[in-house]
Amino acid sequence: EAQVTQNPRYLITVTGKKLTVTCSQNMNHEYMSWYRQDPGLGLRQIYYSMNVEVTDKGDVPEGYKVSRKEKRNFPLILESPSPNQTSLYFCASSPLMTGAYGYTFGSGTRLTVV
Amino acid sequence: AQKVTQAQTEISVVEKEDVTLDCVYETRDTTYYLFWYKQPPSGELVFLIRRNSFDEQNEISGRYSWNFQKSTSSFNFTITASQVVDSAVYFCALSESKGAGSYQLTFGKGTKLSVIP
């Protein structure tokens, strides 16, 4: 089944403890992206990747890192999480960045930083 | 300025009523893509429709229909004979060029629809 898999689905952590949210797609998509969703703000892009080893900042990149060492994986790294990073996170992938073929989203990761 | 405006934050309707969710977008591109997603209480994003800027045909899929009007930069979504299962947050989104071969998908803030039995 074609899908984007995020792990974990739920995570509660403490301020300052490094964490990684994994994202993997099995569709050979070139484009991958991370979003965070906060009440009243919709989804905002954190980082995106056009291909292996090519990443760029979205609208809200502060406090996050990403890497794209292989096509299928695009992990989101929070080196020193803070409570304002408590959010619902989505990973997405697409054959083309333009969206001409649509985007496939993961099921989401609900992160709480205390 | 917001790229995608969903002016209705929350809407409540009684079951079987029709409801229209508004979406107004802003772009200078001639080639762009518009999307609607549904987010039920379980939290996942469910794709509903994709429309490219060159296709202004309205679309109907069962009880759902979409009205795309480039002249007013709107891409409105209508649910006919609403059902309780339609209760969700609905997002409109725009994919447009950022320049240098880069595109970005930008979401509106969403409209929460509650269908009351």
Side-chain angles (χ1 to χ4, degrees), chain B residues 4-25:
Chain B
V4 180
T5 302
Q6 295 181 253
Q8 305 144 310
T9 306
E10 292 193 40
I11 301 176
S12 289
V13 298
V14 176
E15 199 171 21
K16 296 184 184 173
E17 285 184 349
D18 299 347
V19 58
T20 295
L21 309 183
D22 298 332
C23 174
V24 174
Y25 62 92

Side-chain angles (χ1 to χ4, degrees), chain A residues 28-41:
Chain A
N28 202 37
H29 286 172
E30 293 198 345
Y31 177 80
M32 297 185 75
S33 180
W34 276 103
Y35 293 84
R36 62 177 287 173
Q37 182 184 358
D38 302 292
L41 296 178

Side-chain angles (χ1 to χ4, degrees), chain B residues 29-45:
Chain B
D29 284 354
T30 54
T31 301
Y32 54 89
Y33 301 87
L34 295 163
F35 302 81
W36 275 96
Y37 287 88
K38 173 182 180 180
Q39 186 177 46
S42 52
E44 74 273 20
L45 286 168

Side-chain angles (χ1 to χ4, degrees), chain A residues 13 17 21 26 39 75-76 90 111:
Chain A
T13 191
K17 185 177 180 181
V21 183
N26 61 0
L76 180 69
F90 287 99
L111 172 65

